[in-house]
Amino acid sequence: MITIGHTIKAARERRNLTKEELAQKLRVGTHTVEKYESGEQIPSNQTILKLSTVLDIPTSELLKKQNI
């Protein structure tokens, strides 16, 4: 099953962004991005909207197959 963390990581890599760059754009810590990508933490709805904008993917793509 594809998780939101896998989707975030794949989209970040497609945009050639480092975890640090993504963290800056989201205004969160690098450790938080690592937690999102590993599945330890699920982003808030507000952060999902930011991720959608920064990574240029629809929110539905981020939420696909998620039980949020």
Side-chain angles (χ1 to χ4, degrees), residues 13-46:
E13 290 174 344
R14 277 195 306 271
R15 306 267 310 156
N16 293 316
L17 292 172
T18 65
K19 290 178 186 175
E20 292 80 11
E21 291 169 330
L22 180 57
Q24 284 181 334
K25 291 177 183 285
L26 296 175
R27 298 180 187 252
V28 299
T30 304
H31 190 66
T32 302
V33 171
E34 291 172 357
K35 284 184 170 186
Y36 293 159
E37 290 186 357
S38 71
E40 287 180 56
Q41 183 175 341
I42 302 295
S44 68
N45 289 338
Q46 183 178 4

Side-chain angles (χ1 to χ4, degrees), residues 6 9 13 17 32 42 45 47 49 54-55 61-63:
H6 291 128
K9 183 176 182 179
E13 290 174 344
L17 292 172
T32 302
I42 302 295
N45 289 338
T47 302
L49 291 172
V54 169
L55 298 174
E61 180 73 19
L62 286 168
L63 299 174

